[in-house]
Amino acid sequence: MAETWHFINTGRRDPYYNMAFDEALLNFVSRGEIDPVIRFYTWDPPTLSIGYFQRLEKEIDIAKVEEKGYGLVRRQTGGRGVLHDKELTYSVIVPEAHPAMPKTVTEAYRIISTGLLEGFKLLGFDAYFSVPKTKEERDKLKQPRSSVCFDAPSWYELVVEGKKIAGSAQTRQKGVILQHGSILQDVDIDDLFDMFIFKNKRLKDKMKEAFVEKAIAINDLSDKHVTIKEMEDAFYEGFKNGLNIEFKPLELTEAQIQEVETLCEKYKSQAFLYRK
């Protein structure tokens, strides 16, 4: 019999709210206030999010981000910079002790991402997990790459026609796993790379070329235009199928809504954005 998890689609929200809501959900699950939960959301304005450990001023051209009118926010998960624009973003929040969750990050990532895999299949794509097979491929994963996410598949990354199609990051805090990530509908590669700092133009061009070779968006692959609504429907069913769960709607209490609002201030703060 399928387990029932919470589901919520918060729609288009600003970057601070989006990151605050994910952290709040982690807190609610940690305190046992809600069951495991899956959330869908989009971004207004389109936003560059940077990983928790990224050095903002060294890696990001902040003036260029502002000039282009993008938001800028730091995530609580690791990884590299992601431009959240034409995409569906998902988050999965589940206790580490959940019987379906393996102890290792990599294996838990594979289990959670099965929901994404099934969603891509429902959209008609031949998706699969990338698993580095040779020692050379495994060693490559340990090498530092650019500050831009999506520039190479890693363990159990979702791949369609040899290209990475969804980028995810995971953190474990307070006995809870939070995995969130981007499912690209379309991507503006020029805008993305303009916002990162490179040593020189040659390196920038080389990295951009590598990105085009390794990453792809849904509408680059599809014969027809796939809408966000179609993506939401497919991945809603995909997570149900992949994780063998049913959904019940999540409605927050007044106290929980207030907690989200309070956390928004953290993500708006210069202290968090510029943290060393």
Side-chain angles (χ1 to χ4, degrees):
M1 196 171 151
E3 186 182 350
T4 301
W5 289 21
H6 282 297
F7 175 82
I8 187 166
N9 186 339
T10 50
R12 293 178 68 81
R13 305 300 290 244
D14 70 56
Y16 318 114
Y17 183 92
N18 278 340
M19 294 298 89
F21 206 100
D22 273 357
E23 183 173 346
L25 289 177
L26 186 149
N27 292 341
F28 305 156
V29 170
S30 176
R31 297 196 297 256
E33 294 174 12
I34 64 172
D35 290 323
V37 57
I38 292 178
R39 173 190 173 213
F40 290 169
Y41 53 103
T42 51
W43 303 71
D44 186 17
T47 294
L48 181 72
S49 81
I50 61 168
Y52 184 77
F53 300 103
Q54 278 192 288
R55 294 164 296 179
L56 179 66
E57 290 168 294
K58 187 173 181 183
E59 298 182 34
I60 306 299
D61 186 336
I62 300 165
K64 190 69 76 173
V65 176
E66 291 173 354
E67 177 192 313
K68 290 177 178 291
Y70 287 114
L72 182 62
V73 72
R74 186 181 292 276
R75 303 188 304 272
Q76 61 176 322
T77 51
R80 291 156 291 155
V82 182
L83 177 57
H84 305 280
D85 187 2
K86 301 175 183 73
E87 70 170 44
L88 175 64
T89 315
Y90 79 91
S91 52
V92 177
I93 299 96
V94 57
E96 285 187 89
H98 190 283
M101 288 298 124
K103 293 287 180 278
T104 67
V105 171
T106 303
E107 287 301 317
Y109 184 91
R110 179 181 64 82
I111 295 293
I112 292 170
S113 297
T114 303
L116 299 176
L117 184 71
E118 293 300 319
F120 281 115
K121 287 179 180 177
L122 288 169
L123 287 170
F125 296 114
D126 181 18
Y128 58 93
F129 288 125
S130 77
V131 181
K133 295 178 179 67
T134 65
K135 183 179 186 301
E136 183 187 13
E137 286 176 340
R138 287 192 291 273
D139 287 345
K140 260 188 183 175
L141 293 183
K142 299 171 188 171
Q143 293 172 7
R145 289 162 292 184
S146 79
S147 302
V148 186
C149 190
F150 284 96
D151 69 354
S154 54
W155 279 98
Y156 296 126
E157 210 73 80
L158 273 160
V159 173
V160 174
E161 294 184 15
K163 296 194 177 186
K164 180 172 170 178
I165 198 165
S168 301
Q170 191 184 112
T171 185
R172 292 175 179 231
Q173 301 173 30
K174 305 175 184 177
V176 175
I177 298 168
L178 163 62
Q179 180 173 310
H180 56 192
S182 302
I183 309 165
L184 298 182
Q185 180 195 31
D186 292 288
V187 61
D188 188 326
I189 294 163
D190 291 334
D191 261 17
L192 174 62
F193 276 80
D194 281 351
M195 292 187 286
F196 289 86
I197 295 170
F198 295 92
K199 285 180 184 172
N200 53 55
K201 185 177 184 301
R202 190 179 64 80
L203 180 62
K204 177 181 178 180
D205 290 343
K206 185 181 173 186
M207 286 294 193
K208 191 187 287 192
E209 197 176 297
F211 180 96
V212 172
E213 283 178 12
K214 292 171 183 168
I216 201 158
I218 280 177
N219 281 326
D220 293 327
L221 286 168
S222 179
D223 294 333
K224 67 179 185 67
H225 179 78
V226 179
T227 66
I228 292 292
K229 177 68 169 65
E230 288 168 330
M231 290 169 66
E232 289 170 344
D233 291 345
F235 290 103
Y236 181 88
E237 293 300 324
F239 275 113
K240 284 168 67 175
N241 297 342
L243 300 182
N244 187 30
I245 54 177
E246 294 295 336
F247 283 135
K248 58 187 175 185
L250 175 64
E251 292 182 17
L252 301 191
T253 65
E254 284 301 320
Q256 289 170 337
I257 291 168
Q258 184 56 54
E259 186 166 339
V260 174
E261 296 298 331
T262 301
L263 283 168
C264 281
E265 298 309 311
K266 165 185 162 180
Y267 288 97
K268 285 178 184 176
S269 74
Q270 297 294 292
F272 186 71
L273 181 62
Y274 284 85
R275 70 172 292 280
K276 302 298 181 188

